[in-house]
Amino acid sequence: TYSCVHCRAHLARHDELISKSFQGSHGRAYLFNSVVNVGCGPAEQRLLLTGLHSVADIFCQSCKTTLGWKYEQAFESSQKYKEGKFIIEISHMVKENDWD
């Protein structure tokens, strides 16, 4: 599982991970199919490395740290697969094993 590095709240299961090769606002990020224990801010249009997207910042429900964003809408057809998916920057999460 992946958890918030600041408060250890559970964020996502490993099987929800789509890609490890994304770029967040402040460094490398992972793309997830779904996440838990996050709140969502208002959507806004941003020009990202892959073009114009409508995104909403996501934050940890527990400690309120901004973690990344949710893709609400992609304006280029090649980017449509991101809609409804979530970016979490790796600096804000820690991978935890379930077997300990």
Side-chain angles (χ1 to χ4, degrees), residues 76-92:
E76 295 179 29
S77 58
S78 66
Q79 302 299 311
K80 291 286 187 187
Y81 74 96
K82 296 178 185 173
E83 292 181 348
K85 308 291 191 293
F86 300 84
I87 284 282
I88 298 179
E89 295 185 3
I90 60 174
S91 61
H92 295 303

Side-chain angles (χ1 to χ4, degrees), residues 27-78:
R28 289 187 46 227
Y30 290 179
L31 181 69
F32 290 94
N33 199 41
S34 68
V35 294
V36 295
N37 298 322
V38 299
C40 214
E44 60 183 40
Q45 290 188 2
R46 287 191 200 150
L47 188 57
L48 303 174
L49 293 173
T50 53
L52 186 65
H53 295 77
S54 175
V55 298
D57 285 336
I58 59 171
F59 55 89
C60 177
Q61 203 74 286
S62 179
C63 70
K64 308 301 184 210
T65 300
T66 299
L67 303 169
W69 61 79
K70 177 182 181 183
Y71 287 101
E72 299 287 354
Q73 185 179 4
F75 295 98
E76 295 179 29
S77 58
S78 66

